[in-house]
Amino acid sequence: MGLLDQRFENGNVFITSLDGLLNWARLSSLWQMQFGLACCAIEMMAASASNFDIMRFGVIPRATPRQVDVMFVAGTVTIKMASRIKRLYDQMSEPRYVISMGSCANCGGPYWEHGYHVLKGVDRVIPVDVYIPGCPPRPEALLEGIMKLQEKVRKESMIRKRA
Amino acid sequence: MTAQEIFDVLKAKFGDALPEEKLSAAGGSAAAGFSLQVWITIAPGRTKEICSFLRDDSEMQFDTLSCLSGVDYNNGTFGVVYHLSSMVQKHKIVLKAFCTKEHPHIQSVSSVWGTANWHEREVFDLFGVIIDEHPDLRRILLPDDWEGNPLRKDYKVQEFYHGMKVPY
């Protein structure tokens, strides 16, 4: 609210599109599913901590899929875990987004050839909106991924009829 | 006790349960005293009685199973390797039990050291070595309906698991 704080008199009317307002609200409060799978989760925690402070983007970790908008798949998705991730994704309410963080979640990473236990990319079980490369990605890269997702949300329309 | 002394005691007590005539070593010569470099080969069907003796004997007192591993030697032989140590006597020894791929059976030592329970399940899971007399022989890392044993040298990964493609 920095741009609007204490700059106007009482009883103002602002004109914008409803989509613009809704999208502004949605992209400013992308609540995150609170879970991590491997070393990428350490970088995700670093992004949450004070140096990078992911909360200034409105990203708040929630411990239940019912309350979240975005799932960060942060780490190696084992085949045993893949069905759990699918279930968690199914439990999220729409509109829902997925950020695949790190090479393992993108494509299997270092496990691509001999990792019999690793799913070669989380996009084999759930749709992914943003891929962040890196092993693991720096917190800045995660922030960039969130901003990419915000761009995507900004272009969407919640109220227009779908074909 | 040195490895040679431990071997001599076991050989005198168990005789035919130790297939080798002397202490085994990776380099060929059994240099007694280097107890981590040498090992004692034991029969796969008699691991429990030998290990019980090693734990309970007042000279031995191997109270700790430091590690239990499986090996595929890629020549039709599987092995289970036991690293034992004694907190009291401050000595260590390595035991190995071998079995063939056609008859992969090794007796459980989980009744001797509780540590062995999960380690033996891991050997069963990843090598397919059947641990006889184990109280709870199930897979421990992989899903129950997984096909094959991944750490075998001739392992081929399955194409699909529950509709998910496994290879790259």
Side-chain angles (χ1 to χ4, degrees), chain A residues 82-156:
Chain A
S83 53
R84 278 80 169 172
I85 287 185
K86 176 85 164 65
R87 171 170 295 184
L88 286 171
Y89 177 78
D90 289 342
Q91 287 175 340
M92 289 163 66
S93 54
E94 289 179 334
R96 56 195 169 185
Y97 304 95
V98 175
I99 293 181
S100 165
M101 180 181 179
S103 296
C104 290
N106 290 346
C107 63
Y111 308 99
W112 72 278
E113 189 172 13
H114 298 297
Y116 56 87
H117 60 303
V118 174
L119 190 71
K120 311 300 186 299
V122 72
D123 50 7
R124 289 188 180 184
V125 289
I126 56 174
V128 175
D129 295 285
V130 177
Y131 296 87
I132 304 172
C135 188
R138 296 258 326 154
E140 295 96 318
L142 180 59
L143 297 185
E144 168 123 25
I146 293 164
M147 288 191 281
K148 288 280 177 209
L149 183 62
Q150 289 182 332
E151 281 175 31
K152 178 172 180 165
V153 173
R154 188 174 279 125
K155 287 178 199 150
E156 286 179 346

